[in-house]
Amino acid sequence: MELIFEISEHGRRGFIPPKLDVESYDLPDEFKRAEPPRLPEATEGDVVRHYTNLSRLNYAVDVGFYPLGSCTMKYNPKLNEYASSLDGFSKIHPYQDVSTVQGALELMFNLQEDLKSISGMDAMTLQPAAGAHGEYTGVAVIRAYHEYKKDFEKDEMIIPDSAHGTNPATASMNGYKAVEIKSDKNGMVDIEELKKIVGPHTAGIMLTNPNTLGIFDENILKIAEIIHGVGGLLYYDGANFNAIMGKVRPGDMGFDVVHFNLHKTFSTPHGMGGPGAGPIGVKKFLEPFLPVPTIGKKNEKYFFDYSHKHTIGRVRSFYGNFSVLVKAYAYILTMGGDGLKRASEMAVLNANYLKAKISETLEVPYNTRPCMHEFVATTEPLLEHGVKALDFVKRMLDYGVHPPTVYFPLIVHEDIMIEPTETESKETLDKFVEIVEKIAKEAKENPKLLQEAPHITPVRRLDDVRAAKQLILRWK
Amino acid sequence: MEPYIPHTDQDLKEMLDVIGVQNVESLFSTIPSEKRINSIDLPDGIDEFGVLSKLRKMALTNASADRYAFFMGAGVYNHVIPSAVNQIASRGDFYTAYTPYQAEVSQGTLQSLFEFQTMICEITGMGIANASMYDGASSLAEAVLMASRYTQKYKALVADTIHPEYLETVKTYVAGPKIEIEKISHDSDGKVSLNDLKSKIDDKTSCVVVQYPNFYGIIENLKAIKEISKDIIFIVVANPISLGVLEAPGKFGADIVVGDGQTLGIQMNFGGPSFGFFAIREDPKFVRAMPGRIIGETVDVDGKRGFVMTLQAREQHIRREKATSNICSNHALGTLYASIYLSLVGPKGLKEIGELNISKSHYLLKRLEETGHFVRTFSAEFFNEFVVKTDLNVSKMNKALFKNGIIGPLDLSKIEEQMKDQLLFCATESNTAEEIEKLISVLEAI
Ligand SMILES: Cc1ncc(COP(=O)(O)O)c(C=O)c1O
């Protein structure tokens, strides 16, 4: 498709600003821009067509099945979009007097309370803008706590080799050394290894449970004991919370800090990459370290609570991604406690059903017990036909489904990580299984079909190497 | 009540049979039984009408810009948004997609981000822009980290005229890598003190940070600041909507320009989400230290133009603990609002909107001065905000305004104690002459 700049014609306009109805003020020339920016010049109709046509090149949850592991691409309810667009939510300013935004604060307060109930934590902040931002905030809280206790020896954060890349990156940003712990033969944290590497330097451990293999780490209580035993804290990466609502709470498993991804578990849309929201919850003893402000309530009035004595400060401006919070709250109201529990149950059912079916075609490592909301399969045996996991999933594009996550977690070779979510029907899953079976057959009979896939998408396989070499990062 | 879950009893039975278990419960057997719970302590679900009634009630208790005139800015602004922006950005093919991991079915996202990167480069006068950060404050924090990473120097000079919440965010982020923050004071005209800046640059200094226009609305003298800070990284926090009229920071030799994109077609949303933008000078080495996703142009196997995420070896999913940042999800949807907005207004519109902001705010200042109750605090040129000191009782004044349908200025003493009786007023193209006259008449009646 043409770029918006390529359809631009000098003199066209898509919007006329309001007329000047006061006397004009002319800024001295020294401040004025010498050359105008080369922005597009197009009519409103041109712009609408351009972006509408762009949108049609996208695959999305509204289009079809999107089993992207670890990302929880569940259906995004329209009610939530509508609610967040109400003038009373979208056209309010973060600095207006609190007495004029009580409804907004009430919503945030209620959401804090609901997330506390769901996670078993004692205090929440809604400030972080994404999962990784929540991780950043949570680990900063842990660091502030150790420093408050004058425990300056603690400079290591333990992270499993199956962890998401944001975990070690977060540890580094907070000044910690990221120490990798191997997984055992069951895909869980190797307890013997853990005992060996913990010590006075251990500030904590960052865990995703269920982990990125979709396996619930059964030794979690033991892990908590070991980490707490050396004065470390447990961080819960809530990316996989969709598996456990109403079943178990991180707060009860020994975790001290938890983040949620509202754009995963609580159905807020992923927005081509964001915005999401990554609230964190902490145990009581960490509350004084939370970023300010949180939302408080006194005598039926809501207020911004700046009282956290040892606050790490702010991690962004204002209070959080408010309209994302509205959507998550609408979702919780709609689902209720019973519905959230059922969401987790059906998410886990769907994953186990797919696993049972797909394990007839592809190898599924660590397949000794039920998985949680997702599982990892491998196409490694197809390497002998010259077919890589990437080829396998690119072929899925020809069949009109979005591929699962590939090459993550790093501990399984040629892996594809499948997360169906609870909003997909048995029919959708059955169709997906058929596609996987078909592609597996094609891989053996006609590997070229996969190696050259996709064939019928708006563009075909793109040259990543060239992109990184030539570095064309803007239109000129 | 689960309108989003499709499973019938029959489905359930068939699926359990395939898995080979009796009931759903047994799928959770790996969770330690002593920690298991059976329910969540929350009310049961509500139907759509019920949810909407509840939320509408909450929304109605908020004083919003459809019913009130706003003279408040300070980082979030009530601008006019063309109707087409929200109409297009609400297409599910955009907002229900995720990060474009599969480029072949994400060209809509990728091309729009490539166009966005271009637009950010154009308005800031920079060479390279990424595909967004969370917000202005966290973008700035990441810029300060990048400056230290690149220079291996650990002292950052920050103007005390940047947004206070941006400064607080930076302070949080520098705690890990132990970067020292030193504040640069301002002169009585409201601009960064060049003398103070000059005296504080030493061989440990990585960067200097200024905001343009600054928190008090003042247009900083970027040229003079650059002359003093030639050997350190020059970071500018810019308000993008001002850059149709104000000279681009890139023209003054900025190394990094960051800021918040809310002013480009995004509702105030109580402060979020918007997006942060992050642009740098064109430099193939510098870009490798940059955080965030970057989109590049390439071709497919048939030679057709296409776009991909590139330079990913900087990022957490590949580089893990050595990544330039931990950022994964960004705020791409916000960039779509901005791209559509900038495409609609074009270069002429952006300039006109900037001029409107300048004229309206200067007219507002003039009318306020004429009441005899307001005196300007800083004398330098400003864009759409300014600080005045008042002899009126501030809380009484704001209450009177509110009663008359007006959200008044920001009381700066709420943010900085020593700013007693100082008000930060803002006027944009959305404030009509009628609103301004009404504001004045209410003030005169106090
Ligand atoms: C396991 C895990 N942790 C953390 C993250 C980071 O979350 P976000 O992208 O919202 O920053 C992700 C997201 O992809 C994830 O899958």
Side-chain angles (χ1 to χ4, degrees):
Chain A
M1 247 182 80
E2 285 173 304
L3 295 172
I4 185 94
F5 304 99
E6 292 163 349
I7 59 170
S8 173
E9 280 298 338
H10 185 58
R12 290 206 181 120
R13 329 193 44 170
F15 177 70
I16 308 298
K19 259 227 305 277
L20 181 64
D21 55 1
V22 300
E23 65 197 39
S24 107
Y25 181 89
D26 201 18
L27 212 56
D29 283 346
E30 59 185 291
F31 297 101
K32 286 189 194 155
R33 190 165 181 131
E35 277 170 55
R38 286 177 304 165
L39 294 172
E41 295 179 76
T43 63
E44 181 179 314
D46 293 336
V47 175
V48 168
R49 280 198 185 146
H50 176 76
Y51 283 101
T52 302
N53 283 312
L54 275 184
S55 78
R56 294 168 67 170
L57 304 179
N58 269 2
Y59 194 91
V61 172
D62 276 4
V63 174
F65 190 39
Y66 208 133
L68 190 67
S70 206
C71 298
T72 314
M73 303 300 288
K74 62 169 78 174
Y75 173 69
N76 309 130
K78 302 309 165 196
L79 157 64
N80 307 353
E81 298 303 307
Y82 176 66
S84 70
S85 75
L86 292 173
D87 286 333
F89 290 141
S90 63
K91 296 185 179 172
I92 50 176
H93 191 288
Y95 286 154
Q96 48 190 108
D97 194 83
V98 284
S99 65
T100 70
V101 281
Q102 283 292 300
L105 270 76
E106 179 187 1
L107 187 148
M108 292 171 80
F109 181 84
N110 290 352
L111 181 60
Q112 284 177 185
E113 294 300 305
D114 291 354
L115 294 176
K116 277 164 33 181
S117 297
I118 294 166
S119 61
M121 305 309 279
D122 301 317
M124 294 289 308
T125 170
L126 304 173
Q127 209 175 101
H133 205 210
E135 290 175 39
Y136 177 81
T137 310
V139 174
V141 163
I142 291 174
R143 180 169 39 86
Y145 168 76
H146 289 314
E147 282 174 7
Y148 169 73
K149 286 187 47 193
K150 307 234 174 315
D151 201 344
F152 298 110
E153 221 183 338
K154 299 209 168 302
D155 61 355
E156 293 179 356
M157 188 57 70
I158 300 176
I159 296 163
D161 54 4
S162 60
H164 195 256
T166 51
N167 293 182
T170 296
S172 293
M173 272 177 101
N174 272 293
Y176 282 126
K177 214 180 305 159
V179 175
E180 192 174 275
I181 170 105
K182 296 251 170 301
S183 302
D184 67 13
K185 62 178 191 322
N186 295 315
M188 305 192 283
V189 169
D190 189 323
I191 292 288
E192 290 314 310
E193 187 71 20
L194 183 66
K195 283 183 189 154
K196 273 188 233 153
I197 63 172
V198 296
H201 288 287
T202 306
I205 188 167
M206 297 180 81
L207 280 183
T208 314
N209 199 18
N211 66 21
T212 61
L213 295 163
I215 295 171
F216 191 90
D217 201 315
E218 299 173 21
N219 298 323
I220 180 58
L221 301 178
K222 183 84 203 151
I223 295 170
E225 195 188 309
I226 295 170
I227 298 294
H228 284 151
V230 294
L233 300 183
L234 276 83
Y235 183 90
Y236 185 87
D237 178 335
N240 293 344
F241 216 107
N242 206 41
I244 60 160
M245 288 185 289
K247 295 293 169 187
V248 67
R249 308 191 304 174
D252 300 333
M253 291 190 267
F255 286 96
D256 304 291
V257 187
V258 171
H259 89 247
F260 291 92
N261 297 67
L262 296 187
H263 45 300
K264 297 178 180 177
T265 315
F266 297 94
S267 85
T268 74
H270 284 70
M272 321 194 296
I280 69 164
V282 296
K283 288 283 175 65
K284 194 80 194 161
F285 72 100
L286 293 174
E287 188 173 9
F289 300 91
L290 282 181
V292 286
T294 53
I295 314 298
K297 182 181 181 184
K298 205 171 173 183
N299 304 330
E300 294 311 302
K301 289 262 189 302
Y302 300 91
F303 64 98
F304 290 116
D305 185 353
Y306 284 92
S307 72
H308 305 298
K309 246 186 26 222
H310 310 297
T311 178
I312 59 164
R314 291 183 162 277
V315 293
R316 59 166 297 161
S317 55
F318 313 117
Y319 322 119
N321 281 343
F322 179 71
S323 39
V324 178
L325 306 178
V326 175
K327 294 173 199 186
Y329 184 62
Y331 179 72
I332 292 173
L333 286 179
T334 305
M335 299 296 282
D338 52 347
L340 292 175
K341 178 176 160 189
R342 189 165 151 88
S344 284
E345 288 178 346
M346 294 304 111
V348 170
L349 176 75
N350 274 1
N352 278 285
Y353 177 73
L354 261 192
K355 185 175 74 152
K357 290 270 210 174
I358 282 179
S359 62
E360 290 169 18
T361 311
L362 298 178
E363 249 176 53
V364 175
Y366 306 107
N367 191 8
T368 54
R369 347 171 135 58
C371 65
M372 299 304 280
H373 66 304
E374 66 189 358
F375 66 99
V376 169
T378 171
T379 62
E380 200 170 12
L382 297 175
L383 281 177
E384 68 173 276
H385 302 280
V387 169
K388 298 195 283 259
L390 188 72
D391 304 320
F392 197 94
V393 303
K394 288 295 182 197
R395 182 66 179 146
M396 287 183 185
L397 296 171
D398 288 331
Y399 290 107
V401 292
H402 194 284
T405 298
V406 273
Y407 301 118
F408 173 70
L410 307 178
I411 58 173
V412 180
H413 295 164
E414 300 298 320
D415 57 326
I416 64 178
M417 181 194 216
I418 305 172
E419 180 181 11
T421 85
E422 74 281 5
T423 60
E424 300 300 333
S425 66
K426 178 170 173 296
E427 291 88 332
T428 300
L429 304 184
D430 287 339
K431 268 185 217 141
F432 181 69
V433 172
E434 275 173 37
I435 292 168
V436 169
E437 286 167 355
K438 221 186 255 170
I439 297 175
K441 203 157 158 250
E442 289 172 351
K444 290 167 197 157
E445 291 166 358
N446 187 3
K448 228 172 123 187
L449 208 51
L450 280 64
Q451 288 152 354
E452 292 176 2
H455 301 271
I456 56 169
T457 43
V459 293
R460 296 191 46 214
R461 235 184 264 195
L462 291 147
D463 190 342
D464 291 317
V465 176
R466 176 181 161 132
K469 250 197 202 134
Q470 294 195 344
L471 282 192
I472 304 173
L473 308 178
R474 51 161 301 180
W475 168 82
K476 265 189 187 147
Chain B
M1 199 79 53
E2 300 116 24
Y4 319 129
I5 300 177
H7 301 73
T8 63
D9 290 345
Q10 185 61 28
D11 291 336
L12 208 64
K13 198 175 152 305
E14 287 173 23
M15 293 169 83
L16 288 171
D17 275 352
V18 169
I19 299 168
V21 293
Q22 293 289 317
N23 49 39
V24 173
E25 208 44 42
S26 52
L27 298 173
F28 292 87
S29 60
T30 52
I31 301 177
S33 54
E34 67 265 42
K35 297 297 178 190
R36 288 283 304 275
I37 55 172
N38 272 320
S39 62
I40 304 172
D41 187 17
L42 288 179
D44 285 351
I46 318 176
D47 62 276
E48 176 156 351
F49 181 71
V51 171
L52 210 47
S53 312
K54 209 173 149 94
L55 291 173
R56 227 185 231 124
K57 221 165 106 195
M58 284 183 187
L60 272 174
T61 66
N62 301 326
S64 56
D66 57 320
R67 294 183 290 137
Y68 287 78
F70 275 64
F71 289 93
M72 184 180 267
V76 170
Y77 302 87
N78 185 31
H79 285 292
V80 176
I81 302 175
S83 311
V85 175
N86 194 51
Q87 287 290 316
I88 311 170
S90 300
R91 287 183 66 86
D93 328 53
F94 283 130
Y95 80 80
T96 72
Y98 195 23
T99 305
Y101 294 117
Q102 298 292 338
E104 297 87 344
V105 292
S106 308
Q107 286 299 302
T109 297
L110 287 158
Q111 182 173 327
S112 99
L113 288 170
F114 182 80
E115 293 173 354
F116 164 77
Q117 290 176 178
T118 306
M119 292 183 206
I120 289 298
C121 288
E122 281 295 327
I123 61 174
T124 58
M126 303 302 282
I128 298 171
N130 77 9
S132 81
M133 310 293 286
Y134 305 136
D135 72 338
S138 60
S139 301
L140 173 60
E142 292 264 19
V144 171
L145 298 189
M146 173 173 164
S148 279
R149 200 159 55 236
Y150 192 75
T151 59
Q152 293 293 310
K153 294 178 180 180
Y154 290 86
K155 185 173 104 176
L157 303 177
V158 182
D160 69 356
T161 49
I162 73 163
H163 196 297
E165 297 200 8
Y166 285 41
L167 178 61
E168 286 172 34
T169 305
V170 170
K171 281 185 175 163
T172 306
Y173 271 77
V174 297
K178 302 202 165 49
I179 300 166
E180 183 194 341
I181 298 292
E182 215 171 317
K183 280 206 252 177
I184 307 296
S185 61
H186 57 275
D187 292 332
S188 62
D189 64 356
K191 288 196 281 197
V192 165
S193 160
L194 298 175
N195 286 331
D196 196 35
L197 173 59
K198 206 182 280 175
S199 73
K200 284 179 176 156
I201 296 178
D202 58 25
D203 53 11
K204 283 188 302 201
T205 310
S206 62
C207 64
V208 58
V209 176
V210 301
Q211 187 176 320
Y212 176 76
N214 73 24
F215 182 63
Y216 304 121
I218 303 292
I219 307 168
E220 296 281 7
N221 186 349
L222 298 186
K223 191 166 166 223
I225 295 167
K226 175 69 187 181
E227 271 163 22
I228 296 172
S229 8
K230 276 201 201 85
D231 301 326
I232 58 177
I233 290 186
F234 184 21
I235 301 174
V236 177
V237 183
N239 178 355
I241 207 169
S242 72
L243 298 178
V245 276
L246 300 188
E247 187 54 280
K251 272 275 157 63
F252 298 117
D255 297 294
I256 305 177
V257 179
V258 294
D260 199 281
Q262 185 267 329
T263 52
L264 302 179
I266 300 177
Q267 301 283 8
M268 295 188 285
N269 288 331
F270 206 36
S274 52
F275 67 88
F277 62 88
F278 198 113
I280 61 169
R281 63 179 143 83
E282 186 141 27
D283 179 338
K285 196 164 149 236
F286 204 38
V287 69
R288 285 180 166 61
M290 183 148 115
R293 315 240 185 240
I294 302 175
I295 312 306
E297 183 184 314
T298 187
V299 292
D300 74 357
V301 288
D302 299 327
K304 193 166 161 188
R305 177 172 68 186
F307 303 91
V308 293
M309 294 194 282
T310 192
L311 292 174
Q312 295 190 67
R314 300 165 297 112
E315 294 186 60
Q316 46 76 29
H317 58 287
I318 295 179
R319 198 50 69 82
R320 297 179 79 83
E321 71 276 6
K322 296 199 180 66
T324 55
S325 167
N326 72 341
I327 192 169
C328 177
S329 290
N330 54 18
H331 279 39
L333 192 66
T335 75
L336 181 68
Y337 280 78
S339 298
I340 300 168
Y341 177 82
L342 289 171
S343 301
L344 288 167
V345 303
K348 193 146 190 263
L350 194 64
K351 180 157 180 266
E352 288 170 359
I353 290 163
E355 287 165 352
L356 279 166
N357 277 261
I358 291 168
S359 293
K360 300 263 188 172
S361 58
H362 284 76
Y363 181 72
L364 171 64
L365 171 63
K366 187 182 128 189
R367 296 290 288 120
L368 286 169
E369 284 172 339
E370 282 167 7
T371 66
H373 292 298
F374 301 90
V375 182
R376 253 199 103 190
T377 304
F378 304 118
S379 55
E381 287 290 341
F382 61 95
F383 177 63
N384 64 1
E385 290 175 280
F386 55 85
V387 181
V388 285
K389 191 167 165 106
T390 184
D391 62 1
L392 298 174
N393 176 307
V394 172
S395 92
K396 238 199 202 145
M397 176 196 84
N398 269 334
K399 276 200 188 104
L401 289 173
F402 184 70
K403 241 193 237 146
N404 286 279
I406 293 170
I407 302 289
L410 177 65
D411 173 0
L412 285 172
S413 71
K414 284 190 174 167
I415 295 189
E416 289 158 272
E417 261 172 63
Q418 78 276 18
M419 298 287 268
K420 197 165 153 9
D421 299 324
Q422 307 268 5
L423 306 169
L424 183 63
F425 269 98
C426 174
T428 73
E429 78 284 1
S430 75
N431 294 103
T432 60
E434 198 186 326
E435 284 176 7
I436 295 174
E437 293 314 327
K438 174 139 185 227
L439 171 97
I440 297 298
S441 71
V442 176
L443 292 173
E444 277 172 341
I446 294 175

